[in-house]
Amino acid sequence: MPFGAGTNLVAALNDQLVLKIFPSFHRAKFLSERATLRVLGGRVGDVATPELLHHGECEGWSYLIMSRLEGVAASEVWPLLAEADKPRLLRQLGRLIADVQQVSPGELLTLGPRWSDFLQMQLAGCRARHQRLGLPQALLAVLDDLLNEAVDELPRDPQSVILTGEYIPENFMLSPVGDGWRVSGLFDFGDVMTGFGEYDLLGPSAFLAAGHAARMRALFEGYGLAPGQVTWQLKRRLLLLMLLHQASDPLRHIAIPDWPLRAGTFDALQALIWPE
């Protein structure tokens, strides 16, 4: 039985096994996912990742057979949660990001792209991307000035950690515990690379914290940041990274209603996404 729409065909073979198939033009995603499953397996605290059971290739297509995770996709649960429950889950998610980044990247370091190359590529295409995707004109007019800050604000050679780029509700599982939920599983590693750790705070910031101060504080606390470390400079780096993210699309990915009407400058947008 196939799962929902995605980049690759993913199907449940039975209650325990999942098959994921990659066409030849997604071979890099296959290599990334296979390496990540090997590297993370059993090393992320009490959060499960799929166990890689078999992999192979047939006529240019690549495939993985892995264990099926227990739980419910967070995308099904999150909209139904009471507001009081959301900071607790974001604290868990922040801790999960930190735990993944404590795992040695191993063979992922050999796959690329190097962080410095990735930054250069994203900077080169940033303006054209956001013009095409409809970034509000007031922001687009000053985008080049903001991107010039990236040269000084973003490290080119940071300690390399594992980056999934996608801590979004479709990519982690929740399981019931007591009268609530806990983060119990993490999956989908086709876009994993290595680089600057703060990059992986973007998905939860945009999709889940969505401008709520208590949610954002919980995410940062889970990640291991004390209140004094959540500075204007940190938020500026996150804003820059959000615009440079390989899937960046602010109009569609910032889950704050009517944000273009509320943020006519990048400073205002930064304060809206990452409030005090």
Side-chain angles (χ1 to χ4, degrees):
M1 179 182 69
F3 291 106
T7 305
N8 302 288
L9 173 63
V10 184
L13 299 178
N14 53 40
D15 290 343
Q16 288 80 40
L17 300 177
V18 170
L19 170 68
K20 189 167 186 176
I21 300 175
F22 302 78
S24 58
F25 52 85
H26 281 324
R27 179 166 173 76
K29 292 182 181 291
F30 164 74
L31 295 174
S32 174
E33 182 128 17
R34 183 180 66 177
T36 306
L37 292 171
R38 288 169 170 168
V39 166
L40 288 184
R43 298 183 178 90
V44 195
D46 62 352
V47 175
T49 55
E51 179 184 359
L52 178 60
L53 301 171
H54 190 68
H55 60 89
E57 299 182 43
C58 181
E59 297 183 0
W61 292 69
S62 307
Y63 66 89
L64 303 168
I65 298 176
M66 63 195 95
S67 61
R68 186 170 181 176
L69 297 177
E70 297 182 357
V72 181
S75 56
E76 297 182 28
V77 176
W78 184 262
L80 308 177
L81 292 176
E83 181 57 38
D85 295 326
K86 292 182 176 181
R88 183 170 57 83
L89 280 174
L90 274 163
R91 187 174 289 105
Q92 294 179 33
L93 190 59
R95 188 178 308 121
L96 171 60
I97 296 170
D99 287 346
V100 168
Q101 293 183 0
Q102 288 296 313
V103 177
S104 173
E107 62 183 290
L108 286 165
L109 292 171
T110 68
L111 296 182
R114 293 175 53 203
W115 177 254
S116 58
D117 295 337
F118 171 77
L119 265 188
Q120 191 61 41
M121 178 176 64
Q122 295 306 107
L123 282 165
C126 187
R127 181 178 179 80
R129 176 187 185 88
H130 290 297
Q131 187 168 19
R132 174 172 54 84
L133 293 174
L135 189 71
Q137 186 58 42
L139 299 181
L140 191 65
V142 293
L143 178 60
D144 289 341
D145 293 334
L146 184 73
L147 294 178
N148 287 335
E149 293 185 30
V151 175
D152 297 321
E153 293 290 337
L154 297 177
R156 295 303 180 105
D157 188 26
Q159 177 183 352
S160 287
V161 299
I162 297 171
L163 304 174
T164 77
E166 293 185 332
Y167 286 92
I168 57 176
E170 291 77 12
N171 290 350
F172 64 93
M173 307 291 284
L174 301 178
S175 293
V177 55
D179 59 353
W181 297 85
R182 71 174 183 90
V183 178
S184 59
L186 180 67
F187 62 99
D188 194 358
F189 304 122
D191 292 317
V192 166
M193 61 181 188
T194 61
F196 186 41
E198 292 175 8
Y199 182 82
D200 264 354
L201 293 170
L202 301 177
S205 294
F207 286 91
L208 298 173
H212 291 254
R215 296 187 201 176
M216 193 62 67
R217 283 195 298 270
L219 174 66
F220 286 146
E221 288 169 5
Y223 187 65
L225 293 172
Q229 294 175 291
V230 183
T231 61
W232 186 93
Q233 287 77 16
L234 167 66
K235 296 175 183 180
R236 194 56 146 201
R237 291 195 300 272
L238 292 175
L239 178 66
L240 289 164
L241 290 168
M242 181 171 284
L243 292 165
L244 295 171
H245 193 284
Q246 61 182 345
S248 181
D249 190 350
L251 282 181
R252 295 159 187 84
H253 293 166
I254 298 175
I256 300 174
D258 299 323
W259 74 257
L261 300 178
R262 302 165 61 188
T265 67
F266 280 119
D267 284 351
L269 179 58
Q270 177 179 312
L272 190 63
I273 300 174
W274 297 282
E276 296 298 330

